Amino acid sequence: MPKYHNDATLPIPLFPGSHMVIDDDYVFLSGLTAEDIQGGETILGNIAEETRLVMRSIQRMLVSAGCGMSDVVRVDVHITNLELIRDMDAAYAEFFDSRCYPARTCTQSPRLYGSAHVEITVMARRPAEAENEEREKDSDSEDSSDT
């Protein structure tokens, strides 16, 4: 059964959706921009810094779901100007092992939320131990609710 989570460090989504959906096998993160992150407005306009800020938040959110960047299997990147892809790519690549990049799509989207220049969406495969821990938590909470 999927679980729907909103990250406590991010504003509640303005759209009808969740920041993160976790099922038995995968973690799905909604698109994230620097505009979505407190303090992100200070770096708007620098696509490399926006990318780093977003990727650090994605990394933190994945850890909260029992995953790491090595578990990421798919990424969608939207940038406002494909002329800036090399700057975005350099910052993006810092977060992955160069031999194990996830599958990725990058598109030019002329307008993103607020004044952001990059939006990143991620899908990660949950490691077996994360699934087992989640099942144990669910079992423990069911046991405690039975008393």
Side-chain angles (χ1 to χ4, degrees):
M1 182 74 146
K3 294 184 180 189
Y4 304 88
H5 295 282
N6 285 320
D7 187 288
T9 68
L10 299 175
I12 298 291
L14 298 175
F15 58 90
S18 301
H19 293 135
M20 185 170 22
V21 176
I22 303 169
D23 71 11
D24 290 340
D25 299 315
Y26 292 94
V27 175
F28 303 90
L29 299 183
S30 291
L32 189 60
T33 71
E35 283 273 348
D36 297 317
I37 303 165
Q38 185 173 351
E41 66 278 356
T42 62
I43 61 163
L44 290 174
N46 181 329
I47 198 161
E49 288 305 313
E50 285 187 43
T51 301
R52 285 184 189 98
L53 179 65
V54 169
M55 293 299 287
R56 283 192 296 270
S57 290
I58 287 169
Q59 191 172 36
R60 182 187 46 73
M61 292 169 74
L62 287 173
V63 167
S64 77
C67 296
M69 295 304 284
S70 63
D71 299 309
V72 174
V73 295
R74 172 111 179 101
V75 178
D76 291 318
V77 178
H78 303 277
I79 60 177
T80 56
N81 182 350
L82 280 175
E83 302 278 329
L84 302 174
I85 195 168
R86 293 205 192 303
D87 294 337
M88 187 280 302
D89 277 342
Y92 171 90
E94 295 170 11
F95 292 85
F96 297 102
D97 178 327
S98 64
R99 297 176 309 262
C100 301
Y101 290 119
R104 187 183 96 180
T105 299
C106 184
T107 61
Q108 180 169 306
S109 300
R111 187 158 181 230
L112 298 175
Y113 175 67
S115 301
H117 292 85
V118 62
E119 180 174 7
I120 302 173
T121 304
V122 168
M123 181 172 84
R125 176 98 166 109
R126 295 185 72 207
E129 57 271 8
E131 294 172 38
N132 291 336
E133 288 174 15
E134 189 71 28
R135 285 190 193 108
E136 287 174 17
K137 277 191 223 174
D138 288 345
S139 176
D140 290 345
S141 65
E142 286 172 12
D143 291 344
S144 65
S145 65
D146 291 342
T147 56

